[in-house]
Structure formats: structure tokens, C-alpha cells
Amino acid sequence: MPRRPSSNISSDRDTVRETRTIEVEKTPLIQQLRAFFSDRRTQVICAVVLLAFSLFALIAWVSYFFTGAQDQSLLNMSHAERVATRAQIANVMGLPGAHIADFMVDGSFGIVSVLILVALSLYTLKLLHAFSFSGWKLLFCSVFWLIWGSVTLGFAQLVTGISTFFRWGGAHGEWLSELMTSYVQPIGSTIILVATLLIFFILADETFFPKMKRFGEWCKGLFRKKEVPEIPNPDVPGTDPTETPTEPILITVDTPEEDEPDTPVGDDVITVEIETPDTHEEPDTPDEPEIPDVPETPEDPDLDINKTDEVEIVKQLEPYDPRKDLEFYKFPTLDLLKVYDNETAPVINQEEQQANANRIVTTLRNYGIEIEQIKATVGPTVTLYEVVPKAGIRIAKIQNLENDIMLSLSAIGIRIIAPMPGKGTVGIEVPNEKPQVVSMHSVIASKRFQEEQKMKLPVAIGRTITNEVFCFDLAKTPHLLVAGATGQGKSVGLNAIITSLLYKKHPAELKFVLVDPKMVEFSIYKPLLKHYMAAMPDQEDRDIIITDCQKVINTLNSLVIEMEDRYSLLAEANCRNLEDYNEKFNSRVLNPEKDVENVVTKKILHHHFMPYLVIVIDEYGDFIMQAGKEVERPIQRLAQKARAVGMHMILATQRPDVKIVTGTIKANIPTRIAFRTQSVVDSRTVLDAKGADQLIGKGDMLYSGGGNLTRIQCAFVDTPEVEAIVNHIQEQQGYSQPYQLPEYVPEGQEETVAPGSVDTKRLDPMFADVARYVVSKQEGSTSRLQRAFEIGYNRAGKLSDQLEATGIVGPNKGPKGRDVLIQDMESLERLLESLNV
């Protein structure tokens, strides 16, 4: 077992531990088999074979129920007799089909044996990448329904006594049902089958309990008598006109509906009756003062009449929960990430450390530099040797010996830190002979990342030279510049950042805009479009990862509009940043029905919960070279102002020259990550310091933030790991569409529409469905549209304006909503036909 370094080389006891690694060499045969089955051609061939067999067996299975009785006598013959009479087989798939069908139905699991073919077909589609789902879940569900369905059908045939030419549950169902009935009788067997089915639903469906609860509430509602209170109306004949009735006061509050438990809290407009306070005198007292009439509530929702009553009602409501829409969402689990050997501690090679220390000391002495002490701190890929020179030695003299020390150590590249910040030492970073892989699992599973609560957008990027997990808050950076030569780990670093955020932030709290000119780096994240993606209204699902230059320009300008809209809402709410605004909204201090005008565009906005927006642009230098100022201008505006409204950019480039990394970009993006660069000039362009040119590659990087440079080994997340995380998220319930960004019309493409008016020739794709819903329900509230169609408030407001412009609903009346002007579906259909929708 390796030992710790001797007394002249000490290690950091808090962060470095001794480990022993055992390398298991894989045999060539195993490697060949793995390569053969992972080959795409092999997978496609297997999929075609399985699909052909499934189709053959399915046709034979169907034919069996019409021809099985006729073929049964022939199948019971000897082989020689069957060969002589196989032309008489009635099954449409011939003798093999008759054998397969007879075995499936009568000889195994009965009628439900068709589930084997369904499962095989689904698996072939998975091999062909037509669908993405969990193979283990498919296997579990298929096995359960085969066993349970077979036993249930066998039990049903046993109890009813119906005789057919085949066994309903096959040989398996008949045997198990007879065995179970002989022990617990038919009543006990029924209880066991029902209980087993309930257990399956509980394990397979995470929403089973809420569904049962809603079903129970629905059953209760069938027997619950609805009481309708009688409200005196002075206009009804026979009512005493001298009575002074209490008039209801309309108050806009946010509350969930009792009959819609899945509806997100915070969108309904309810009517609350507040009676005029009565006097404490007896009603028969002749000197009783006259009770004054309660004035009607004005239609303006911004007036402060009965403000205290509204505040009291709001205080009784629960805080708004943005996660309510996807309350059963489960974050990715750690078992989706690959675990490496000795991933939490570096491997210490005592002989290597001692030899390197001796070479450093010898080289320095050859140039007349004496040292008092040297100690080593072993990291995953680099060892830091801290040298304490004797008094009177100039530090610059040690810095000038960088190439000489590199030559004596035969190293790829070394980096000298003179002096070490906060220490009286000079640091010499030397690559390890056998670098260690820093897995994404080790940093995500670390206590520091798991227990982090203060960071708004926590990112675990890798491990430092002292083997500590390095985390930073993307919300505090506030933007990030990532640069490095091709093949040095830049794309892996971006995947590590995205993976960290997926493990920490709920889909309601975070949205991504991913730009990828290479079209292959971010395509793996396409299935997240209804969970974590943001898009423009006319953006198709297949283009959720933006690759075209013109679409990049449109999206960036749309993000600028989103930024300005958010600033308008923050200004109206008297908030300085996104966190304060969302806290106010969740506390129900802000009214989502209130109109807020963007002073620049004159657009009407409404308060809503704002998720963080993370814009990741890979190789943005390509877009700068293609479009120049058209791309650079919106990027600069976002870099300058977007931080306070929760919008953060990550710009990546492999060409860090001054034309790409301009002074404005550097001034507004103080946090930067540099992987290995091709020259010291590139290093200075990115970091304003040298050192990136001396990195060893493969994820070795320098993080510049807060005025300090930190060397980090980036965590490695492989493509299968990302696919597993994406599949885990995709299989869960998502939103009906991506997060909607504002519409942006490029200059020169605007149509002549008067300010504030609606162009009825460019109606929303959902206009017809929304119009039918509004007329059928006779409700025109914007919040109702938002909830019913699961769309953002901006799009719901735009649809309401279009409904008003086409004469379907009336103008906005504040808390009273909108009047529906069309009363029947026939009139609506004629109107839709005239609008060509």
C-alpha cells in the first residue's frame, strides 16, 4: 500500500486521503462484444428482426381464435404426421404460426400473451429511437400484467365453468388459479387479485393517491345537497322596497377552487359578501338610526375602497406555490450518474511526489535559489508543490525558471503562482503521471452541493487542486464566459453546468435558451422542451435548440424584450431584483389581474411568477462573424442589464480573440472560465492573465471570479449520463408547451397596424380552440384561459385581445372579467369561417 510522503513533503490531511486503485483489464472478447452490440447497425438489425417476429406472431395470434379449434387436432399429431398434413393447417401463418399461437395462448399466459408482442414492438421502437422511455419500467409493467392477467382469466374461467378449446389464462393461469383457489377459496382469491392490482397502481403511478382523492370527492359530490342561499332582490315583485338590502362588494382575491384541486393557486376572481355592520340596538326600538346604503364597488380595481378587507382576505390564503402545476415532479436521482473507482479522493503515488520534489529542489539550487521547506497537495490531476524560499530570494527569479523546471520534470506544462494568495509560499503546479477522472456523480453527491441552500443557481463544476468540490452561484456571476481550444473540455464543461442546474432547480423555476451552431452539442436536450425550455411563440418544437443565425438574432431580440417587460413589472412592484419580486408575488401582494404598461412599447403586462432564464450560446464567435452587430448588440444589452431580472448568459467560444471577446463583453462578464488555450495571448484575452496556455487539457481549467484564479478539474459527464437524466425528466408530466418568450418582428417585416390594435390576419394558432372554449363556458377571463390551456399570462392576454378584436368578448372590466358577446356555437362557427380559422 502506498504511504504518505515523508516529513519534507506534507499533505493536506483534511482533503487528501490515501487510496489503493485496482485496475481491471477488460478481455478483448468482452470489448468486442460490447462494441458489436453498441454499434448502430447491429441495433437496427436487431430491431428489424424483432419487429418482423412480433408482426408474424401477432397475425398468428389473431388467426388462432378463428382457426385454433380446427388446427388443434393436427398439432397433436406426431412430427411425421404433421409434415404430411401441414397443408391442412388453417392458421394464416401456416404451421409455425399455429405452433407459436397455440403455445402463447393455450400453453403459456392465455389471451394476455399478446402483451409480449406489444412489449417487443415498443422495445424495437426504442432501439430505432422512435420513442424514449425506461426499459426497466416497460419490463416491470409487462411482467405484472402477464402474470396478473393470466391468473385473473384462469380464475374467471374456473369460477364460471365456461369451456372453450383453449384456456383463457393459459397453462400458467390455470395452474396458479387452481392452486390459489384450493387454499383460500374464490372469495379469498378475489381479495388477493384486487389487492395485488392496487399495489401495482401505487408502485407504477405516482399520481395514484391524488387521483383516488379526486374520485372520492367526486363521489361525495353526487350525494351532497347543494344549498343555494336566498338573496333578497328589491326588483322582484312582492319584496318590500323600503328594506335596505346588503349589497355584495366585489373583491379580487387569489384562491384555489375547491372543485378543481389541480388548478394552480392564485388565478380566480371570487365574489365575497361583506354585510354592512348592524347596530347593537334591538330591531323594535323606535329611535333606531337608518342604515345607510353600501355603495357599489367601482369597476376600477386600483381604487383603495375597502382595502383593509381585501388585505385581510389575502392574509388567509396560502402563499402561491410555483411548483403546484408539476407538484409530483421528481428531481433526477444520483443513480443516473456513473460511479468511478476512488472518485472522492486522489491516488497518492509517494514515489512520484518524492521524485518531483527532489527535481524541483535540485533545479532551484542549480540557479542559486535555496528553499527552507516544500510540501505537496495532491489533486485529481495536478499536484501543488508549495515552496518556501529562504530570505532574500526574489520571487521574480523563480518565475523566470518556469521552462527549466518543466524540462527537469519532463512535464506537459507547469504553472507557477508567485506568491500564493494569502500564503507566504510560491506554488508550482505539476501534472500527475496518472490523472484521475472527476466524475459528475462525485460532485453532485457531495455534501457541499447537496446541502447548499443560499445559492440561487448553484453549479458544481468540478474539484480544485485540494480535491474540494468547487461550486459557484450562476446568479451572482452574473454571466459567464467560457473559452478554450477545440477538444479541451469546453462542451463537457457546459454539460456539467446544465446538469448541475437540472439537479437543483424545478421546471417552474428555471428555463433554458440553448443556441448551438454545430447542431450536435445540445440536441440531446430537445426532450426537455416542455419542462425546461423557453421559445418564441412561432418556434417549432424541432427547432427548440436554435442553430440558424437569423433565428438567433430574433431570439436574442426577443430576450431583450422579455428583459424590458420584466423591468416594467419590477418597477411597478417597487422591487430591485427578481428574488424580491417573486417573494412578493408568492406572498400574494401583487395582483395578477392588474394591468401594467410597458412605458416603451405601450404593451399591457400582468404580474406573474418569473422563472430564471439561462441563455447558453455555444461558439457565439461564429454568429459574431456571420452577423456582427446584429448579434453583438442584443448580447451587450443582456450582459449590461439582464442580471437583476434573473436572466443570465453563458457564452462559449473556441476563438478567444479581441474581435470576439470585446472590451464590452469583458467589462460586463467578469466571471470567466478558460480551458487550455493555444497561446498565451489567448489566455490573456480571456483571463487578463497568463496560465491557460500551460493547462494540460481534458477538462483542466482556470476559473476567474472575484479577482482570483482557481485551478479546477472539470467534472466529466458522459453522453449516456445526460441521456439518462433527460429521459428521467421527459417521462414525467410536463407543461403543454415551452415557456413563451415575447414575439419579435424584425425590422422591415412589420405590417401596418395601428398602435394598440390587433391584426386579425395573424391570429394565434390556438385562437379557434380558445374561442370555442370561451363561448361554451361563457367565461372570458384571461386567468381562466391561462389555467385551462396551460399557457403563460402574456399569451393568454394576447388571445384575450384577439377575442375582443374579433367581437367574441367585450372589453376588460377589471375583476369582473370580460362579457362573452356570442351566445351559441353556430354563430361562432360562422365567425371563425369568415376569419379563415
Side-chain angles (χ1 to χ4, degrees):
M1 178 179 290
R3 296 175 297 171
R4 291 189 180 274
S6 58
S7 58
N8 63 331
I9 303 178
S10 60
S11 298
D12 189 340
R13 297 179 180 271
D14 296 332
T15 57
V16 182
R17 295 184 297 175
E18 292 182 3
T19 57
R20 174 182 293 178
T21 56
I22 302 176
E23 297 182 356
V24 181
E25 295 186 357
K26 298 177 182 176
T27 62
L29 178 60
I30 295 177
Q31 292 178 344
Q32 291 174 4
L33 289 175
R34 178 171 294 180
F36 174 76
F37 285 108
S38 61
D39 188 272
R40 181 63 182 155
R41 293 173 299 177
T42 304
Q43 294 178 351
V44 172
I45 292 173
C46 292
V48 171
V49 172
L50 288 176
L51 195 60
F53 172 78
S54 301
L55 183 61
F56 182 93
L58 179 63
I59 297 174
W61 181 86
V62 174
S63 177
Y64 176 82
F65 294 100
F66 301 96
T67 62
Q70 180 181 347
D71 292 341
Q72 205 166 43
S73 59
L74 298 176
L75 295 176
N76 293 330
M77 295 179 179
S78 64
H79 177 71
E81 292 174 334
R82 277 202 307 271
V83 171
T85 59
R86 62 187 175 188
Q88 302 177 15
I89 294 292
N91 194 293
V92 295
M93 304 309 293
L95 183 59
H99 271 296
I100 293 173
D102 183 70
F103 172 76
M104 288 177 61
V105 180
D106 190 67
S108 58
F109 295 99
I111 299 174
V112 294
S113 59
V114 71
L115 292 176
I116 300 175
L117 306 180
V118 174
L120 282 177
S121 301
L122 290 175
Y123 185 72
T124 57
L125 294 176
K126 178 180 175 66
L127 287 178
L128 295 173
H129 294 176
F131 291 101
S132 179
F133 52 83
S134 172
W136 289 109
K137 188 173 183 179
L138 174 66
L139 179 63
F140 170 71
C141 294
S142 302
V143 170
F144 171 81
W145 285 114
L146 272 177
I147 298 175
W148 188 87
S150 174
V151 175
T152 302
L153 290 174
F155 175 71
Q157 187 174 27
L158 178 65
V159 172
T160 58
I162 300 176
S163 177
T164 56
F165 71 91
F166 65 92
R167 290 169 283 193
W168 294 359
H172 169 268
E174 181 185 57
W175 175 73
L176 271 183
S177 59
E178 288 179 352
L179 179 65
M180 181 173 59
T181 307
S182 65
Y183 277 97
V184 294
Q185 300 301 317
I187 296 178
S189 301
T190 304
I191 294 174
I192 291 174
L193 291 173
V194 173
T196 308
L197 184 64
L198 287 175
I199 293 172
F200 169 77
F201 282 134
I202 292 172
L203 294 176
D205 189 1
E206 299 173 353
T207 63
F208 179 72
F209 289 115
K211 288 178 181 176
M212 292 301 297
K213 184 179 179 181
R214 290 196 296 270
F215 178 74
E217 293 293 333
W218 179 78
C219 293
K220 289 181 182 178
L222 295 178
F223 303 98
R224 185 182 300 155
K225 185 177 180 181
K226 298 183 179 179
E227 298 182 358
V228 181
E230 296 183 1
I231 302 176
N233 190 349
D235 297 331
V236 178
T239 310
D240 187 1
T242 60
E243 293 183 10
T244 306
T246 59
E247 299 182 6
I249 298 178
L250 296 180
I251 298 179
T252 304
V253 297
D254 299 325
T255 182
E257 292 186 353
E258 292 182 359
D259 58 343
E260 296 181 12
D262 285 343
T263 303
V265 178
D267 292 312
D268 286 335
V269 177
I270 67 170
T271 301
V272 181
E273 287 194 8
I274 303 180
E275 296 186 358
T276 306
D278 200 358
T279 60
H280 294 288
E281 300 181 30
E282 294 295 329
D284 295 330
T285 305
D287 296 332
E288 178 181 357
E290 183 180 356
I291 302 176
D293 291 342
V294 179
E296 294 184 357
T297 302
E299 295 183 0
D300 187 354
D302 297 331
L303 294 182
D304 290 330
I305 296 179
N306 296 315
K307 189 72 174 181
T308 56
D309 296 327
E310 182 177 352
V311 172
E312 290 299 325
I313 294 174
V314 171
K315 285 182 178 179
Q316 297 176 6
L317 299 175
E318 295 181 357
Y320 175 74
D321 184 7
R323 298 186 177 188
K324 190 74 173 179
D325 292 343
L326 303 180
E327 58 181 330
F328 299 107
Y329 175 82
K330 287 192 174 182
F331 286 89
T333 55
L334 292 175
D335 59 357
L336 300 175
L337 298 173
K338 185 178 180 181
V339 180
Y340 292 82
D341 295 334
N342 303 312
E343 63 177 16
T344 58
V347 178
I348 301 176
N349 187 331
Q350 185 244 352
E351 295 181 358
E352 177 189 349
Q353 313 309 326
Q354 185 67 56
N356 286 340
N358 292 336
R359 293 190 187 102
I360 291 173
V361 172
T362 302
T363 304
L364 293 177
R365 283 178 178 171
N366 290 339
Y367 290 93
I369 301 175
E370 296 292 334
I371 64 171
E372 294 182 351
Q373 182 186 4
I374 181 172
K375 68 175 183 178
T377 302
V378 183
T381 57
V382 176
T383 299
L384 172 64
Y385 296 88
E386 292 186 65
V387 175
V388 181
K390 285 189 176 182
I393 300 296
R394 296 182 59 191
I395 294 179
K397 193 174 182 181
I398 300 178
Q399 286 181 311
N400 294 333
L401 297 176
E402 185 175 70
N403 293 332
D404 299 278
I405 298 174
M406 187 189 307
L407 178 64
S408 66
L409 295 174
S410 302
I412 299 175
I414 68 169
R415 177 169 169 262
I416 295 180
I417 310 171
M420 291 285 292
K423 299 181 180 180
T425 60
V426 175
I428 303 174
E429 296 174 346
V430 181
N432 297 336
E433 288 184 4
K434 292 184 178 180
Q436 182 184 7
V437 175
V438 175
S439 68
M440 198 68 204
H441 178 273
S442 67
V443 298
I444 294 293
S446 64
K447 183 178 180 181
R448 181 174 183 183
F449 183 75
Q450 290 293 325
E451 298 181 357
E452 176 57 54
Q453 300 293 334
K454 296 181 180 180
M455 295 184 182
K456 304 300 181 182
L457 293 174
V459 174
I461 192 67
R463 290 184 178 271
T464 65
I465 202 168
T466 57
N467 203 44
E468 295 176 341
V469 174
F470 186 85
C471 298
F472 66 91
D473 189 357
L474 184 60
K476 294 287 183 66
T477 51
H479 309 291
L480 188 63
L481 175 64
V482 181
T486 303
Q488 303 304 315
K490 189 170 72 281
S491 297
V492 175
L494 295 178
N495 286 330
I497 294 173
I498 296 174
T499 300
S500 299
L501 296 174
L502 293 178
Y503 267 88
K504 274 290 188 179
K505 304 304 291 184
H506 190 274
E509 301 165 342
L510 173 66
K511 302 298 177 183
F512 287 101
V513 174
L514 301 181
V515 179
D516 178 17
K518 291 182 283 188
M519 297 184 287
V520 295
E521 296 295 345
F522 293 149
S523 59
I524 195 171
Y525 297 106
K526 280 186 178 180
L528 301 181
L529 73 130
K530 293 186 179 179
H531 290 86
Y532 283 98
M533 293 300 178
M536 296 177 63
D538 58 346
Q539 189 169 337
E540 298 183 9
D541 290 351
R542 66 172 181 266
D543 297 328
I544 195 67
I545 308 299
I546 308 166
T547 58
D548 180 69
C549 185
Q550 184 58 49
K551 292 180 180 178
V552 172
I553 296 172
N554 295 344
T555 303
L556 289 174
N557 284 282
S558 173
L559 288 166
V560 172
I561 298 174
E562 172 77 9
M563 176 185 70
E564 298 294 349
D565 289 348
R566 290 190 172 199
Y567 266 111
S568 297
L569 292 173
L570 260 66
E572 200 280 334
N574 296 322
C575 297
R576 299 182 61 183
N577 53 55
L578 182 78
E579 292 77 20
D580 294 343
Y581 176 88
N582 282 338
E583 184 178 354
K584 273 191 175 183
F585 185 83
N586 293 343
S587 302
R588 301 187 183 276
V589 177
L590 304 177
N591 182 4
E593 294 286 346
K594 183 178 180 181
D595 291 346
V596 180
E597 184 183 49
N598 186 325
V599 294
V600 178
T601 62
K602 306 301 180 183
K603 182 170 60 175
I604 299 301
L605 308 170
H606 296 87
H607 291 296
H608 62 282
F609 180 86
M610 298 183 196
Y612 287 98
L613 273 174
V614 176
I615 305 106
V616 186
I617 305 179
D618 189 16
E619 198 44 60
Y620 84 101
D622 284 353
F623 298 119
I624 296 293
M625 299 299 292
Q626 292 182 54
K629 294 294 183 182
E630 289 186 88
V631 172
E632 187 177 359
R633 190 179 298 110
I635 286 179
Q636 289 179 355
R637 292 196 63 190
L638 291 170
Q640 291 169 345
K641 295 178 58 179
R643 170 184 182 176
V645 292
M647 300 171 64
H648 306 279
M649 284 195 305
I650 301 175
L651 304 179
T653 180
Q654 63 182 4
R655 295 183 298 178
D657 57 61
V658 292
K659 295 181 180 179
I660 306 301
V661 186
T662 62
T664 305
I665 293 293
K666 292 174 68 174
N668 292 283
I669 307 181
T671 306
R672 303 157 203 168
I673 290 177
F675 291 87
R676 186 178 183 181
T677 59
Q678 294 181 346
S679 66
V680 67
V681 175
D682 291 345
S683 177
R684 292 188 182 277
T685 302
V686 179
L687 301 175
D688 294 326
K690 65 177 184 178
D693 55 312
Q694 296 293 340
L695 299 176
I696 61 175
K698 296 182 179 179
D700 190 18
M701 70 183 197
L702 289 174
Y703 176 90
S704 174
N708 296 323
L709 279 180
T710 306
R711 191 165 186 175
I712 304 168
Q713 178 61 40
C714 182
F716 177 70
V717 53
D718 204 358
T719 300
E721 298 175 84
V722 179
E723 287 180 343
I725 295 170
V726 170
N727 291 337
H728 171 85
I729 298 173
Q730 183 191 15
E731 291 171 359
Q732 303 185 61
Q733 179 190 7
Y735 298 100
S736 60
Q737 62 179 4
Y739 179 83
Q740 293 294 297
L741 297 174
E743 184 178 8
Y744 169 74
V745 180
E747 294 182 7
Q749 299 183 17
E750 303 92 341
E751 296 188 10
T752 56
V753 180
S757 61
V758 176
D759 184 7
T760 56
K761 295 181 180 179
R762 297 178 58 189
L763 297 174
D764 191 283
M766 296 177 62
F767 177 81
D769 295 334
V770 171
R772 294 186 181 98
Y773 173 83
V774 168
V775 174
S776 63
K777 298 292 185 181
Q778 288 295 302
E779 295 180 358
S781 171
T782 301
S783 59
R784 176 69 68 177
L785 298 183
Q786 181 187 10
R787 183 168 59 252
F789 291 91
E790 298 181 1
I791 57 178
Y793 209 102
N794 291 339
R795 189 177 186 184
K798 184 178 178 181
L799 281 164
S800 296
D801 293 339
Q802 293 177 355
L803 292 172
E804 179 184 352
T806 53
I808 298 175
V809 299
N812 186 17
K813 300 172 66 176
K816 295 183 180 180
R818 297 173 182 262
D819 295 330
V820 182
L821 305 180
I822 296 181
Q823 305 299 321
D824 58 276
M825 298 300 294
E826 294 182 2
S827 302
L828 174 65
E829 293 299 333
R830 288 195 295 270
L831 175 61
L832 294 178
E833 185 177 355
S834 66
L835 294 172
N836 295 322
V837 294

